[in-house]
Amino acid sequence: MDPSLKSALRAQALAARAAVQNRDVAEAAMNAHLAALLARHPEVVVAGYVPMRGEADPRPALSGHSGPVCLPVVMAPAAPLAFRLWRGGDALEGGALGTTHPPESAPVVTPDIVVVPLAGFDGSGGRLGYGGGFYDRTLAQLRRAAPVLAVGFAFEAQRLPLIPVEDTDEPLDLIVTQSGCHSIARA
Ligand SMILES: Nc1nc2c(c(=O)[nH]1)N(C=O)[C@@H](CNc1ccc(C(=O)N[C@@H](CCC(=O)O)C(=O)O)cc1)CN2
Ligand SMILES: Nc1ncnc2c1ncn2[C@@H]1O[C@H](COP(=O)(O)OP(=O)(O)OP(=O)(O)O)[C@@H](O)[C@H]1O
């Protein structure tokens, strides 16, 4: 696959994300949809993220979840992410790539649901991140061990007609946008 195609689509989706109007209204709707989804999965371990670079903020829905919440930590460039437990209010630290995550003292846990930050997505579960392959490696590792629900969290503006799929791409199971919680139509 031509890697420049993915980077062009990534740039297009990130520009659309940066141009979203009425973000607060959209994020409130997205969080309501995510909270309703999480309410159908009480007590399970949910991985969220602390937004960077204009990503939609899932923390309002996470803070209402009945079970444990964890956040991703970059361990090494080509390695899966680790997830550390985060209780709202716990101190966080900054990581090398502009991330914010719990300190090493926080317990490592395995999520049942992963809320995935996105540059772009399509209607078939295709997703684009920042190009590190972190979520691909992480979802692959988690799915080898147990079922996991990958839930994309993004503005409608980040929707792309079709994202090319590589062998290592791990699909989303659901996508939450301001218009609702969308299940993936598999071909
Ligand atoms: N909020 C949030 N947290 C997250 C992620 C995320 O996408 N969003 N991650 C999801 O993976 C991990 C961090 N991944 C990142 C991957 C790449 C870059 C980055 O700056 N990439 C450069 C390109 C580097 C290169 O050329 O190799 C860039 O975008 O300019 C930053 C974070 C873990 N935490
Ligand atoms: N399990 C894996 N093993 C080896 N290489 C992988 C694996 N998963 C992804 N990669 C590689 O990582 C690179 C980046 O992948 P891709 O462009 O899909 O990143 P992304 O999905 O945008 O990033 P992220 O997953 O961090 O959100 C690709 O070259 C891909 O081949």
Side-chain angles (χ1 to χ4, degrees), residues 147-176:
V148 57
L149 200 61
V151 182
F153 193 70
F155 300 103
E156 270 301 327
Q158 294 169 253
R159 187 187 289 274
L160 296 163
L162 187 66
I163 297 171
V165 181
E166 294 174 83
D167 286 351
T168 50
D169 283 334
E170 289 290 324
L172 299 169
D173 298 296
L174 295 167
I175 300 160
V176 170

Short mmCIF file of all heavy atoms in Angstrom, two decimals, residues 147-176:
data_model
loop_
_atom_site.label_atom_id
_atom_site.label_comp_id
_atom_site.label_asym_id
_atom_site.label_seq_id
_atom_site.Cartn_x
_atom_site.Cartn_y
_atom_site.Cartn_z
N PRO A 147 -11.76 -11.22 24.22
CA PRO A 147 -12.53 -10.27 23.41
C PRO A 147 -12.39 -8.86 23.97
O PRO A 147 -12.32 -8.67 25.17
CB PRO A 147 -13.98 -10.75 23.56
CG PRO A 147 -13.91 -12.10 24.17
CD PRO A 147 -12.62 -12.20 24.89
N VAL A 148 -12.32 -7.89 23.07
CA VAL A 148 -12.25 -6.50 23.50
C VAL A 148 -13.09 -5.68 22.53
O VAL A 148 -13.16 -5.99 21.34
CB VAL A 148 -10.78 -6.02 23.57
CG1 VAL A 148 -10.09 -6.18 22.24
CG2 VAL A 148 -10.68 -4.58 24.04
N LEU A 149 -13.76 -4.68 23.06
CA LEU A 149 -14.60 -3.82 22.24
C LEU A 149 -13.82 -2.53 21.96
O LEU A 149 -13.50 -1.79 22.90
CB LEU A 149 -15.88 -3.52 23.02
CG LEU A 149 -17.12 -3.06 22.28
CD1 LEU A 149 -17.59 -4.11 21.27
CD2 LEU A 149 -18.23 -2.76 23.29
N ALA A 150 -13.52 -2.28 20.69
CA ALA A 150 -12.80 -1.05 20.32
C ALA A 150 -13.82 -0.02 19.85
O ALA A 150 -14.51 -0.23 18.85
CB ALA A 150 -11.79 -1.35 19.21
N VAL A 151 -13.90 1.07 20.58
CA VAL A 151 -14.92 2.09 20.33
C VAL A 151 -14.23 3.38 19.89
O VAL A 151 -13.57 4.05 20.68
CB VAL A 151 -15.74 2.38 21.60
CG1 VAL A 151 -16.83 3.42 21.31
CG2 VAL A 151 -16.36 1.10 22.16
N GLY A 152 -14.35 3.72 18.62
CA GLY A 152 -13.80 4.99 18.14
C GLY A 152 -14.61 6.15 18.68
O GLY A 152 -15.83 6.02 18.85
N PHE A 153 -13.93 7.26 18.95
CA PHE A 153 -14.60 8.43 19.52
C PHE A 153 -14.14 9.63 18.70
O PHE A 153 -12.98 10.03 18.78
CB PHE A 153 -14.19 8.56 21.00
CG PHE A 153 -15.02 9.52 21.80
CD1 PHE A 153 -16.34 9.22 22.11
CD2 PHE A 153 -14.49 10.71 22.27
CE1 PHE A 153 -17.12 10.10 22.87
CE2 PHE A 153 -15.25 11.59 23.03
CZ PHE A 153 -16.57 11.28 23.33
N ALA A 154 -15.04 10.17 17.89
CA ALA A 154 -14.60 11.21 16.95
C ALA A 154 -15.78 12.07 16.50
O ALA A 154 -16.94 11.67 16.61
CB ALA A 154 -13.96 10.56 15.72
N PHE A 155 -15.46 13.22 15.97
CA PHE A 155 -16.47 14.09 15.38
C PHE A 155 -16.87 13.54 14.00
O PHE A 155 -16.03 12.96 13.29
CB PHE A 155 -15.91 15.52 15.20
CG PHE A 155 -15.48 16.17 16.49
CD1 PHE A 155 -14.14 16.27 16.83
CD2 PHE A 155 -16.43 16.69 17.37
CE1 PHE A 155 -13.74 16.87 18.02
CE2 PHE A 155 -16.04 17.30 18.56
CZ PHE A 155 -14.69 17.39 18.89
N GLU A 156 -18.14 13.75 13.63
CA GLU A 156 -18.61 13.34 12.30
C GLU A 156 -17.70 13.86 11.20
O GLU A 156 -17.51 13.21 10.17
CB GLU A 156 -20.04 13.84 12.05
CG GLU A 156 -21.15 12.92 12.47
CD GLU A 156 -21.13 11.54 11.81
OE1 GLU A 156 -20.70 11.43 10.65
OE2 GLU A 156 -21.52 10.58 12.49
N ALA A 157 -17.15 15.06 11.40
CA ALA A 157 -16.29 15.67 10.38
C ALA A 157 -15.07 14.81 10.06
O ALA A 157 -14.45 14.98 9.00
CB ALA A 157 -15.84 17.05 10.85
N GLN A 158 -14.72 13.89 10.95
CA GLN A 158 -13.54 13.05 10.74
C GLN A 158 -13.85 11.81 9.91
O GLN A 158 -12.96 10.99 9.64
CB GLN A 158 -12.94 12.64 12.10
CG GLN A 158 -12.37 13.81 12.88
CD GLN A 158 -12.03 13.44 14.32
OE1 GLN A 158 -12.72 13.84 15.26
NE2 GLN A 158 -10.99 12.66 14.50
N ARG A 159 -15.10 11.66 9.50
CA ARG A 159 -15.50 10.51 8.69
C ARG A 159 -14.92 10.64 7.28
O ARG A 159 -15.01 11.69 6.66
CB ARG A 159 -17.02 10.42 8.63
CG ARG A 159 -17.57 9.18 7.97
CD ARG A 159 -19.08 9.26 7.82
NE ARG A 159 -19.82 9.16 9.07
CZ ARG A 159 -20.19 8.01 9.63
NH1 ARG A 159 -19.87 6.86 9.07
NH2 ARG A 159 -20.89 8.00 10.76
N LEU A 160 -14.32 9.56 6.79
CA LEU A 160 -13.77 9.52 5.44
C LEU A 160 -14.50 8.44 4.65
O LEU A 160 -15.00 7.48 5.25
CB LEU A 160 -12.27 9.18 5.49
CG LEU A 160 -11.36 10.21 6.17
CD1 LEU A 160 -10.01 9.59 6.53
CD2 LEU A 160 -11.16 11.42 5.26
N PRO A 161 -14.59 8.57 3.33
CA PRO A 161 -15.32 7.57 2.55
C PRO A 161 -14.73 6.16 2.72
O PRO A 161 -15.44 5.21 2.96
CB PRO A 161 -15.18 8.06 1.11
CG PRO A 161 -14.86 9.51 1.21
CD PRO A 161 -14.11 9.69 2.50
N LEU A 162 -13.41 6.03 2.59
CA LEU A 162 -12.80 4.70 2.70
C LEU A 162 -11.33 4.85 3.08
O LEU A 162 -10.59 5.55 2.39
CB LEU A 162 -12.93 3.94 1.38
CG LEU A 162 -12.46 2.49 1.44
CD1 LEU A 162 -13.36 1.66 2.35
CD2 LEU A 162 -12.43 1.88 0.05
N ILE A 163 -10.93 4.17 4.13
CA ILE A 163 -9.53 4.17 4.54
C ILE A 163 -8.91 2.85 4.09
O ILE A 163 -9.46 1.79 4.39
CB ILE A 163 -9.42 4.33 6.08
CG1 ILE A 163 -10.00 5.69 6.49
CG2 ILE A 163 -7.98 4.17 6.54
CD1 ILE A 163 -10.14 5.88 7.98
N PRO A 164 -7.81 2.88 3.35
CA PRO A 164 -7.21 1.62 2.89
C PRO A 164 -6.75 0.79 4.09
O PRO A 164 -6.27 1.33 5.08
CB PRO A 164 -6.00 2.08 2.05
CG PRO A 164 -5.78 3.50 2.40
CD PRO A 164 -7.06 4.06 2.91
N VAL A 165 -6.95 -0.52 3.99
CA VAL A 165 -6.65 -1.42 5.11
C VAL A 165 -5.37 -2.19 4.83
O VAL A 165 -5.20 -2.78 3.77
CB VAL A 165 -7.82 -2.42 5.32
CG1 VAL A 165 -7.51 -3.34 6.49
CG2 VAL A 165 -9.12 -1.67 5.56
N GLU A 166 -4.46 -2.16 5.82
CA GLU A 166 -3.24 -2.98 5.77
C GLU A 166 -3.46 -4.22 6.64
O GLU A 166 -4.34 -4.24 7.49
CB GLU A 166 -2.04 -2.20 6.32
CG GLU A 166 -1.64 -1.01 5.49
CD GLU A 166 -0.54 -0.21 6.18
OE1 GLU A 166 0.62 -0.58 6.06
OE2 GLU A 166 -0.88 0.78 6.86
N ASP A 167 -2.59 -5.22 6.46
CA ASP A 167 -2.72 -6.46 7.23
C ASP A 167 -2.72 -6.22 8.73
O ASP A 167 -3.37 -6.93 9.48
CB ASP A 167 -1.55 -7.41 6.90
CG ASP A 167 -1.71 -8.04 5.53
OD1 ASP A 167 -2.80 -7.88 4.95
OD2 ASP A 167 -0.75 -8.68 5.06
N THR A 168 -1.96 -5.23 9.16
CA THR A 168 -1.80 -5.01 10.60
C THR A 168 -2.89 -4.10 11.19
O THR A 168 -2.90 -3.87 12.40
CB THR A 168 -0.42 -4.39 10.91
OG1 THR A 168 -0.24 -3.28 10.04
CG2 THR A 168 0.69 -5.40 10.71
N ASP A 169 -3.77 -3.56 10.36
CA ASP A 169 -4.80 -2.66 10.87
C ASP A 169 -5.86 -3.41 11.67
O ASP A 169 -6.43 -4.39 11.19
CB ASP A 169 -5.48 -1.90 9.72
CG ASP A 169 -4.62 -0.78 9.19
OD1 ASP A 169 -3.78 -0.26 9.95
OD2 ASP A 169 -4.78 -0.41 8.01
N GLU A 170 -6.11 -2.96 12.86
CA GLU A 170 -7.14 -3.55 13.72
C GLU A 170 -8.40 -2.68 13.64
O GLU A 170 -8.37 -1.49 13.96
CB GLU A 170 -6.65 -3.60 15.17
CG GLU A 170 -5.55 -4.63 15.40
CD GLU A 170 -6.07 -6.06 15.30
OE1 GLU A 170 -7.21 -6.32 15.72
OE2 GLU A 170 -5.33 -6.92 14.79
N PRO A 171 -9.54 -3.27 13.25
CA PRO A 171 -10.75 -2.47 13.04
C PRO A 171 -11.43 -2.05 14.34
O PRO A 171 -11.23 -2.67 15.39
CB PRO A 171 -11.66 -3.42 12.26
CG PRO A 171 -11.23 -4.78 12.68
CD PRO A 171 -9.75 -4.69 12.92
N LEU A 172 -12.23 -1.02 14.23
CA LEU A 172 -13.12 -0.61 15.32
C LEU A 172 -14.36 -1.49 15.31
O LEU A 172 -14.79 -1.96 14.25
CB LEU A 172 -13.54 0.85 15.12
CG LEU A 172 -12.42 1.89 15.11
CD1 LEU A 172 -12.96 3.23 14.63
CD2 LEU A 172 -11.81 2.00 16.50
N ASP A 173 -14.95 -1.70 16.48
CA ASP A 173 -16.23 -2.42 16.58
C ASP A 173 -17.41 -1.45 16.53
O ASP A 173 -18.48 -1.80 16.05
CB ASP A 173 -16.28 -3.21 17.89
CG ASP A 173 -15.20 -4.26 17.94
OD1 ASP A 173 -15.23 -5.17 17.09
OD2 ASP A 173 -14.29 -4.16 18.79
N LEU A 174 -17.19 -0.26 17.07
CA LEU A 174 -18.24 0.76 17.16
C LEU A 174 -17.60 2.12 16.98
O LEU A 174 -16.40 2.29 17.27
CB LEU A 174 -18.89 0.74 18.55
CG LEU A 174 -19.66 -0.49 19.00
CD1 LEU A 174 -19.94 -0.41 20.49
CD2 LEU A 174 -20.98 -0.59 18.24
N ILE A 175 -18.39 3.08 16.52
CA ILE A 175 -17.90 4.46 16.46
C ILE A 175 -18.93 5.37 17.09
O ILE A 175 -20.10 5.36 16.69
CB ILE A 175 -17.65 4.91 15.00
CG1 ILE A 175 -16.62 4.01 14.33
CG2 ILE A 175 -17.16 6.35 14.97
CD1 ILE A 175 -16.69 4.06 12.84
N VAL A 176 -18.48 6.13 18.07
CA VAL A 176 -19.35 7.13 18.69
C VAL A 176 -19.01 8.49 18.11
O VAL A 176 -17.84 8.92 18.16
CB VAL A 176 -19.18 7.14 20.22
CG1 VAL A 176 -19.90 8.33 20.83
CG2 VAL A 176 -19.70 5.85 20.83
#
